[in-house]
Amino acid sequence: MFDLLIKGGTLPGGTTADIAITGDRIAEVGRIDGPARRVIDATGDLVSPPFVDPHFHMDATLSYGLPRVNASGTLLEGIGLWGELRAIATVDDMVARAVTYCDWAASMGLLAIRTHVDTTPDHLRGVEAMLEVKRIVAPYIDLQLVAFPQDGLYRTATGRQNVLRALDMGVDVVGGIPHFERTMDEGAESLRDLGRIAAERGLMWDVHCDETDDPLSRHVETMAREVTRHGLGPRAAGSHLTSMHSMDNYYVSKLIPLIAESGMTAIPNPLINITLQGRHDSYPRRRGLTRVKELQAAGVTVGWGQDCVLDPWYSLGTADMLDVAFMGLHVAQMTHPEEMARCFRMVTEDNARIMNLAGYGLHKGAQASLVILDAGTPTEAVRLRPDRLAVISRGRVISEKQRNDSRLTLPGRPATVRRRHPSQA
């Protein structure tokens, strides 16, 4: 007797299979005829491992308009607004907003999130709040916390000390922001320092790296060298990397092999990068997204991150990683069928690899977390950003939604409309 049986779903690779779940693990995948306490018919629907977001700022989420709206829409005004908000936001405020966001995430099948937590203020209320959020959502969402010195490791007197304090409190990942240090030299030194800390503590390392339009912001070069030096490999991730969009091709032809050699991963954030970058340009205006396809061609694991939802930097967002993949597909011009399918993998399998998630996937023995979508294929899912018909976390159904076909009253036309299409079936 299985606890749960999902019948007839289409897996991301295109095969049709049943999935049996016992407890919090997948017991069997294939054709299964055994009894189950509950059966879900997924015939014709896409069954996927859960969505994963490797780059977010949960301490600021759902705070849009506090203390006021970012009028210029720039990164720097957003940082200034956040500086004002973090001085007055209470632990309870941040916990309440973050847990509400996690409700959204759960309903969208987003069951693993890596969030950067600002360690700049000495009070570390954000760290305290996010540790509490991690405890609350632990039964259904994997939450990784990054010690993130938003104002720079060295730019403030206690920047480095507070990163270490946050790690001692139980934060999982070492962060950094070298391009926000006072000088290029201090930015490079911050990376050497942070790389040592990550290596000595046996932790993952995720750096806001070169989130700027300045083609001379080349800190990722130093980061890749430190990743190689300390043998961190895929435990290290460079987030944003937007300056690479503005670099000359000759330099990039040397840089990308260095990144690939290190084994580090990359996390562009297309919704926020396309919104914040190029603000100093007239025309032509830069897109501000890193060189996704070129990095992938070199063997670098690249995943899409969401970064922000309704906060000082981004005024939209729904916790839907398919929105992120949809924007990334357009901005990176990933329109070949294989590239479109890859955009789906970038918010599932590739992001899970970046976060080093154990037991992820749709195979026997894996953690029983998955999503049933009203789509036939990964490409159709990116196109439609469809309803999540069911979300299962660790063997438990945590969210369900009825299929929501539109009803038509047009002479001679069908009574209902579904935007699925046989070309993507």
Side-chain angles (χ1 to χ4, degrees):
M1 175 71 72
F2 300 114
D3 292 323
L4 181 61
L5 181 60
I6 295 120
K7 293 287 289 182
T10 301
L11 306 189
T15 61
T16 299
D18 307 328
I19 298 175
I21 293 170
T22 300
D24 65 353
R25 294 286 153 180
I26 294 177
E28 298 288 345
V29 178
R31 178 163 183 166
I32 303 167
D33 295 319
R37 291 182 175 85
R38 180 176 179 186
V39 177
I40 297 177
D41 183 5
T43 302
D45 295 323
L46 180 64
V47 179
S48 168
F51 296 105
V52 178
D53 182 4
H55 189 103
F56 197 64
H57 291 266
M58 200 173 286
D59 49 0
T61 198
L62 306 191
S63 66
Y64 180 68
L66 300 175
R68 60 184 179 282
V69 168
N70 183 340
S72 69
T74 62
L75 173 64
L76 290 180
E77 183 175 353
I79 291 173
L81 284 173
W82 168 241
E84 296 175 34
L85 179 57
R86 74 188 176 198
I88 59 175
T90 67
V91 170
D92 288 346
D93 291 338
M94 287 183 278
V95 169
R97 287 194 292 262
V99 173
T100 297
Y101 178 79
C102 288
D103 293 342
W104 295 12
S107 74
M108 302 306 292
L110 172 53
L111 301 183
I113 303 169
R114 175 182 289 176
T115 181
H116 294 255
V117 185
D118 190 355
T119 60
T120 300
D122 292 340
H123 56 66
L124 293 185
R125 286 196 294 268
V127 175
E128 181 183 346
M130 293 308 107
L131 286 168
E132 175 62 10
V133 173
K134 181 176 180 177
R135 184 193 66 78
I136 292 170
V137 305
Y140 52 96
I141 290 179
D142 288 311
L143 187 60
Q144 291 180 358
L145 308 182
V146 184
F148 176 50
Q150 171 75 77
D151 291 358
L153 190 71
Y154 301 143
R155 198 179 181 99
T156 59
T158 56
R160 186 179 190 278
Q161 171 187 329
N162 288 347
V163 166
L164 296 176
R165 287 174 58 206
L167 296 173
D168 290 341
M169 291 168 69
V171 171
D172 311 282
V173 184
V174 179
I177 185 167
H179 56 279
F180 211 59
E181 303 292 348
R182 288 187 178 88
T183 66
M184 290 290 186
D185 285 345
E186 287 192 344
E189 180 54 36
S190 76
L191 287 170
R192 287 187 281 269
D193 196 356
L194 291 164
R196 283 192 300 269
I197 292 169
E200 290 168 359
R201 291 179 175 243
L203 298 176
M204 290 182 287
W205 189 26
D206 189 335
V207 176
H208 283 60
C209 202
D210 302 320
E211 188 185 4
T212 169
D213 293 326
D214 180 5
L216 298 180
S217 184
R218 297 175 172 183
H219 293 296
V220 66
E221 178 183 81
T222 302
M223 182 177 180
R225 186 69 191 96
E226 295 305 303
V227 171
T228 299
R229 186 190 313 280
H230 294 292
L232 294 172
R235 288 165 48 202
S239 293
H240 294 291
L241 306 177
T242 59
S243 69
M244 200 182 300
H245 182 92
S246 300
M247 293 173 181
D248 68 83
N249 290 334
Y250 178 74
Y251 175 69
V252 172
S253 74
K254 296 169 59 181
L255 177 61
I256 288 181
L258 181 67
I259 294 171
E261 176 188 318
S262 75
M264 66 182 284
T265 62
I267 309 171
N269 300 279
L271 291 172
I272 199 70
N273 291 157
I274 196 65
T275 301
L276 294 180
Q277 307 312 131
R279 290 280 181 166
H280 296 283
D281 295 348
S282 53
Y283 290 94
R285 179 166 289 171
R286 286 167 287 186
R287 291 165 177 248
L289 190 73
T290 196
R291 302 192 186 205
V292 175
K293 293 199 286 187
E294 291 85 350
L295 286 164
Q296 290 175 331
V300 178
T301 298
V302 183
W304 297 126
Q306 184 152 222
D307 202 0
C308 303
V309 168
L310 289 168
D311 67 9
W313 297 276
Y314 189 61
S315 53
L316 301 170
T318 62
D320 188 354
M321 291 305 294
L322 288 177
D323 283 347
V324 181
F326 185 78
M327 176 62 82
L329 182 156
H330 283 80
V331 181
Q333 298 178 330
M334 296 177 70
T335 52
H336 187 276
E338 292 179 4
E339 292 173 335
M340 292 191 289
R342 183 161 199 168
C343 282
F344 186 90
R345 293 198 303 274
M346 289 170 70
V347 294
T348 52
E349 297 170 30
D350 292 345
N351 279 347
R353 192 174 301 115
I354 289 170
M355 286 183 61
N356 195 28
L357 297 178
Y360 181 89
L362 300 181
H363 56 270
K364 184 175 180 178
Q367 187 177 83
S369 296
L370 53 87
V371 188
I372 303 173
L373 299 106
D374 189 6
T377 67
T379 299
E380 189 169 60
V382 174
R383 177 174 68 86
L384 294 176
R385 285 94 71 215
D387 289 339
R388 279 58 163 173
L389 301 176
V391 178
I392 296 153
S393 178
R394 302 173 193 181
R396 186 164 61 95
V397 179
I398 63 169
S399 177
E400 293 182 87
K401 187 170 186 178
Q402 293 295 316
R403 202 179 303 276
N404 192 27
D405 295 349
S406 297
R407 288 182 296 230
L408 288 184
T409 53
L410 297 174
R413 300 308 301 153
T416 61
V417 167
R418 301 177 71 186
R419 293 173 301 139
R420 292 167 64 165
H421 194 271
S423 68
Q424 291 181 338

